[in-house]
């Protein structure tokens, strides 16, 4: 069978693959219900696809680990995940700052409209 290759146990591979499929289904369900925008979810879908491929072919994390000079694949996976989470947090911080500026502008516009409506009376 193509899944079991001796690097990790078949049961673990199966659990990882089922977890990826369930997570992908859950994300697509949230997008369809319009709870989440597609452009916000693309990073998660790409991550799930990468994790799915690594679940099927566990040689990939071992090769990346050797390429980057880590002693174990777990260390390299943690490093890569933490790195991408920092990037995601930074991008979310930028988006929050932009939204705060928009809220401030809208608040000023509402105040001006209220002031104009009060002077018209």
């Amino acid at each position: 069978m193509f899944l079991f290759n001796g690097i990790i146990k078949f049961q673990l591979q199966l659990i990882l693959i089922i977890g990826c499929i369930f997570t992908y289904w859950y994300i697509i369900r949230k997008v369809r219900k319009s709870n989440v925008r597609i452009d916000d979810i693309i990073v998660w879908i790409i991550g799930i696809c990468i994790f799915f491929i690594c679940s099927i072919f566990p040689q990939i994390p071992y090769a990346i680990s050797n390429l980057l000079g880590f002693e174990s694949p777990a260390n390299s996976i943690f490093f890569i995940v933490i790195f991408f989470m920092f990037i995601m947090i930074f991008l979310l911080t930028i988006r929050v700052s932009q939204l705060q500026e928009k809220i401030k502008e809208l608040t000023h516009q509402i105040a001006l409209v209220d002031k104009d409506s009060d002077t018209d009376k």
Side-chain angles (χ1 to χ4, degrees):
M1 187 173 198
F2 74 94
L3 290 176
F4 183 71
N5 55 16
I7 293 178
I8 62 175
K9 291 186 177 185
F10 175 72
Q11 292 88 355
L12 178 59
Q13 271 186 301
L14 196 58
I15 289 170
L16 293 173
I17 291 169
I18 291 170
C20 287
I21 292 170
F22 175 75
T23 306
Y24 182 78
W25 168 79
Y26 181 75
I27 288 173
I28 296 301
R29 192 174 123 231
K30 286 292 185 185
V31 170
R32 284 188 181 157
K33 288 185 175 183
S34 299
N35 294 349
V36 181
R37 295 180 344 172
I38 293 175
D39 56 337
D40 292 335
I41 245 25
I42 288 175
V43 174
W44 291 102
I45 291 175
I46 291 170
I48 290 169
C49 291
I50 291 170
F51 198 66
F52 183 76
I53 291 169
C54 289
S55 297
I56 293 175
F57 304 108
Q59 303 91 347
I60 294 172
Y62 280 91
I64 292 171
S65 166
N66 289 334
L67 183 69
L68 295 176
F70 289 96
E71 289 188 25
S72 76
N75 292 340
S76 63
I77 290 171
F78 282 129
F79 175 77
I80 292 168
V81 167
I82 290 170
F83 175 75
F84 281 112
M85 291 187 111
F86 274 128
I87 291 173
M88 290 174 62
I89 289 170
F90 178 71
L91 294 175
L92 287 173
T93 302
I94 291 171
R95 180 173 285 157
V96 167
S97 295
Q98 291 170 343
L99 289 173
Q100 286 176 335
E101 285 300 313
K102 285 182 182 180
I103 288 172
K104 187 166 68 170
E105 289 174 18
L106 288 171
T107 304
H108 289 294
Q109 289 176 359
I110 290 171
L112 290 174
V113 167
D114 286 347
K115 183 179 179 184
D116 288 343
S117 67
D118 287 342
T119 58
D120 290 342
K121 291 182 182 180

